[in-house]
Amino acid sequence: MMSKNSFLVSLKENSKRRIWLWIVSELFWLFYYPVGMAMLMSRKMEHNRIDGMVGEAARKRLAETAEAWLGGGYNTTAVLVTVVAVICAIQGFSYLYSRKKVDLYHSVPVKKSRRFAVIFTNGILICFVPYLVNLLLAMVIAWFSGGMDGHIFSKALIAAVLHLLLYLGIYGFAILAVMLTGNLVITVFATVIFLVYELIVRLLVEAYMIKFFSYYCYYSSRDALYLSPFWYFGQAAEVFDGGGLPLAALFGMLLLTAAITGLAYYCYWKRPSEAAGKAMAFEKTKAVVKLFLTVPFSLGAALIVDDIVVSNGVLVVFSVIIAVILSNAVIEVIYEADIKAAFRKKRQILVSGLCTAAIASVFCFDLIGYDAWEPSPEKLEDAVFLFSRGNMEYVDENMKTVGWEEYALGKPGVKDIEAICELSSKKTEEGNVIKLGFENN
């Protein structure tokens, strides 16, 4: 017999309070999958009738349409899953924004761990119970229309697994954002920052390397984003489409999700009741968050101004100073909800400026010795020499048009290791810069 305080009973009670979200989710996936599939099948069947297509040709057209909708539209569905994940996360823990609701919830004799688990689990069910039900209904519609087979069924299940893992990753980040903030607007902003911060930093670093390192070769850059559910999702989808099993991507996504969810729970456990309504829930995180936001902003502002004024050093330095001061001031005003608080934390402004200057100096003066690096002969296999040719294109052996970069990199490199090392040690300082693309054993 199920006790009244059991987890399932708590889950049911929480679902009643969130019934409107269940209804919205059901209607959303109903129109997306079954209704969308019915419309697509109806249109393709009409096309078959007009074209006089029957038999295997007609079935193939229907199957291709069903496959594209059920198992091929990874990216389209991923966007929708992301939106639903953020909404469910924020709505589930939105009581934390109100001091009265926080006091009410805390007055109920329920452990924090139980409350967190109930809301967290319910947020997953709200999305994926309607998702799976309507996905199955769409499969039934496709089957009755003659456009369903085992291959499409398996692809649809794979897509469902990938979307579930993506949902869990986005859901975890959104919950973490709720725990660290005290109102809706800042939560949404924090969620976006969590999801794109690593990408912004990587693009910023690459931009600085391209600008200040004469021998930077972007072919050696890595596009991995280890803190992005989207990256793991894309990697897994790509491997699945190629017929492989993306164990590394799936494990990485599960590990990231577990880490973020664990951190969110820890913040939930430590979150003070008086954080409701404030910009930031924890006082100790304010300075760190401000630093991590103002430094990239100031570095980005320097690049933009430098491009506009064509390398005017004085204006660039001045723009960095202004960017550091203004970004710190704006964030402090948001923290305190008081315009008079803009310049209270002068020490933090100084720290932001020093960090920005230190990072910029690494690139401006090549403090890591990037351009002075020379390859080790025992680790060198070959080298490819790339000279910019604008938008020139080539036709390869398969009569396929490719860009000059792709064409050059597809050819065997120079194997004379001694000559390559000698050339690398005599890098030209005048005229055209020679880019060396090295491939290690």
Side-chain angles (χ1 to χ4, degrees):
M1 184 175 179
M2 186 183 298
S3 64
K4 188 174 182 180
N5 291 325
S6 69
F7 181 80
L8 292 179
V9 171
S10 299
L11 201 63
K12 185 177 179 179
E13 292 176 352
N14 184 258
S15 293
K16 290 180 180 179
R17 289 194 291 268
R18 306 173 72 180
I19 188 65
W20 70 270
L21 197 55
W22 275 97
I23 296 173
V24 170
S25 179
E26 170 58 31
L27 291 175
F28 179 80
W29 292 117
L30 175 68
F31 280 98
Y32 183 73
Y33 272 129
V35 175
M37 178 58 69
M39 294 173 64
L40 285 172
M41 291 292 102
S42 176
R43 185 173 65 179
K44 291 302 177 181
M45 292 171 71
E46 180 65 18
H47 288 172
N48 287 340
R49 187 189 66 80
I50 295 174
D51 297 339
M53 216 177 255
V54 295
E56 182 61 25
R59 194 206 69 81
K60 184 178 180 181
R61 173 181 277 182
L62 294 172
E64 289 176 349
T65 302
E67 181 178 0
W69 191 249
L70 296 176
Y74 292 124
N75 295 333
T76 302
T77 312
V79 174
L80 302 179
V81 166
T82 298
V83 174
V84 175
V86 174
I87 292 175
C88 287
I90 294 176
Q91 192 277 334
F93 293 94
S94 60
Y95 76 90
L96 294 172
Y97 299 148
S98 170
R99 182 63 182 271
K100 291 183 179 180
K101 290 183 179 180
V102 170
D103 293 338
L104 176 62
Y105 271 75
H106 288 180
S107 66
V108 179
V110 177
K111 292 182 179 180
K112 273 192 171 183
S113 57
R114 167 70 69 85
R115 185 181 295 114
F116 182 90
V118 167
I119 297 175
F120 181 85
T121 304
N122 214 351
I124 299 173
L125 296 178
I126 285 173
C127 175
F128 268 87
V129 169
Y131 174 98
L132 292 175
V133 169
N134 288 288
L135 177 63
L136 291 174
L137 287 176
M139 290 182 185
V140 172
I141 293 173
W143 181 72
F144 275 108
S145 301
M148 193 68 187
D149 56 31
H151 173 70
I152 298 175
F153 180 78
S154 63
K155 288 201 68 174
L157 290 183
I158 290 173
V161 171
L162 292 181
H163 290 138
L164 173 60
L165 293 176
L166 176 65
Y167 180 90
L168 292 175
I170 304 298
Y171 188 56
F173 272 111
I175 292 176
L176 178 60
V178 175
M179 300 309 156
L180 293 175
T181 60
N183 63 65
L184 177 60
V185 176
I186 303 300
T187 296
V188 174
F189 178 75
T191 302
V192 174
I193 292 298
F194 280 144
L195 296 178
V196 303
Y197 188 84
E198 186 181 7
L199 175 62
I200 292 175
V201 170
R202 188 175 68 81
L203 293 176
L204 193 60
V205 169
E206 185 170 324
Y208 267 82
M209 294 181 78
I210 291 174
K211 182 170 185 61
F212 293 104
F213 295 164
S214 300
Y215 297 96
Y216 173 69
C217 181
Y218 54 85
Y219 294 107
S220 62
S221 62
R222 300 289 184 266
D223 61 353
L225 297 172
Y226 299 108
L227 298 178
S228 171
F230 296 116
W231 183 80
Y232 290 109
F233 174 82
Q235 293 295 304
E238 184 178 348
V239 175
F240 268 130
D241 285 340
L245 186 61
L247 293 178
L250 295 178
F251 178 76
M253 185 179 290
L254 287 173
L255 187 62
L256 175 64
T257 300
I260 294 302
T261 303
L263 182 59
Y265 173 70
Y266 176 79
C267 293
Y268 178 74
W269 186 265
K270 294 292 185 179
R271 180 186 171 101
S273 299
E274 57 272 16
K278 296 182 179 180
M280 298 294 293
F282 300 95
E283 192 69 28
K284 293 181 179 180
T285 62
K286 288 184 176 181
V288 177
V289 171
K290 184 191 291 187
L291 184 66
F292 274 75
L293 291 178
T294 56
V295 171
F297 175 79
S298 302
L299 291 171
L303 281 178
I304 295 173
V305 172
D306 183 68
D307 287 339
I308 294 175
V309 302
V310 192
S311 301
N312 187 318
V314 176
L315 286 179
V316 172
V317 172
F318 179 74
S319 69
V320 171
I321 295 174
I322 296 299
V324 168
I325 295 174
L326 287 182
S327 57
N328 274 273
V330 170
I331 293 176
E332 193 62 35
V333 169
I334 294 174
Y335 281 169
E336 304 299 332
D338 182 7
I339 190 66
K340 297 179 181 179
F343 302 105
R344 285 179 185 172
K345 302 296 178 63
K346 297 180 178 61
R347 183 176 298 178
Q348 292 181 11
I349 297 176
L350 179 61
V351 171
S352 295
L354 291 176
C355 290
T356 302
I359 294 174
S361 297
V362 170
F363 295 97
C364 294
F365 304 108
D366 193 8
L367 299 182
I368 61 176
Y370 186 92
D371 282 340
W373 175 83
E374 296 180 10
S376 301
E378 62 274 9
K379 295 183 179 180
L380 188 62
E381 181 177 308
D382 63 5
V384 177
F385 297 85
L386 299 177
F387 300 90
S388 179
R389 289 292 183 271
N391 295 322
M392 184 178 292
E393 295 181 339
Y394 291 86
V395 178
D396 62 12
E397 294 78 1
N398 299 319
M399 303 304 294
K400 178 184 176 182
T401 302
V402 297
W404 66 272
E405 299 167 336
E406 182 181 352
Y407 182 82
L409 292 173
K411 297 297 180 181
V414 177
K415 301 292 184 179
D416 190 341
I417 306 301
E418 183 179 347
I420 294 172
C421 291
E422 182 181 356
L423 178 61
S424 179
S425 64
K426 298 178 180 179
K427 294 174 181 177
T428 56
E429 297 181 358
E430 298 179 359
N432 292 329
V433 173
I434 298 177
K435 300 286 188 183
L436 299 177
F438 296 113
E439 181 182 351
N440 293 333
N441 289 316

